[in-house]
Amino acid sequence: MKRLFTMSLVALALVPVACGDDDSTDTTAAGGTQIAATATNFSFSPDLWTVAAGEEVSLTLTNAAGEDHEWVIMNAPIASEAEFTEAGVYWEMEATAGAVATDTFTAPAAGTYQIICALEGHFDSGMEGELVVTG
Ligand SMILES: [Cu+2]
């Protein structure tokens, strides 16, 4: 929050320099990006999210199921659970059964990233999505 507040001050300070132009980019930077996902047995809804590279992204993960689920950004896609390693994880969060969790990550470099639930058997059962990061 402290960092976002600082950015807001910078944005305000730049307004007179920009002759009062309303720059929507500043508004986005100050407010961050919010995305949401609902996890069930065994899928994400939605299963496609788009964010901007380097943006602070707040994810609200709603677990509508009776068992725990994760939302994991993979550095490189895997074809099956057997290929999963912790080293291949860019960022991850978990929502326990029936819970709503929120956490924040910095969007990686532009590209398309595989989203999975890394709990045993879940990815192989179809818990997969796609995070598109624009440049
Ligand atoms: Cu899961």
Side-chain angles (χ1 to χ4, degrees):
M1 290 305 285
K2 187 180 182 188
R3 179 167 167 264
L4 291 174
F5 180 66
T6 303
M7 292 174 72
S8 297
L9 290 179
V10 170
L12 287 172
L14 289 176
V15 168
V17 177
C19 299
D21 282 353
D22 184 13
D23 187 340
S24 62
T25 302
D26 290 338
T27 303
T28 304
T33 301
Q34 298 193 352
I35 60 174
T38 297
T40 56
N41 298 346
F42 292 94
S43 64
F44 294 110
S45 178
D47 60 3
L48 174 65
W49 304 267
T50 302
V51 298
E55 189 82 354
E56 290 295 314
V57 181
S58 174
L59 168 65
T60 298
L61 179 60
T62 300
N63 186 339
E67 59 184 285
D68 298 351
H69 287 299
E70 297 176 340
W71 194 93
V72 182
I73 304 173
M74 300 300 295
N75 288 315
I78 59 173
S80 74
E81 201 170 299
E83 298 176 13
F84 177 83
T85 63
E86 288 293 338
V89 172
Y90 173 80
W91 184 82
E92 63 185 317
M93 69 172 290
E94 177 177 315
T96 55
V100 179
T102 301
D103 204 352
T104 303
F105 64 94
T106 301
T112 299
Y113 295 82
Q114 182 185 45
I115 303 298
I116 70 167
C117 175
L119 297 180
E120 188 175 356
H122 293 200
F123 172 63
D124 286 350
S125 298
M127 287 199 81
E128 183 180 13
E130 199 169 84
L131 177 70
V132 175
V133 181
T134 58

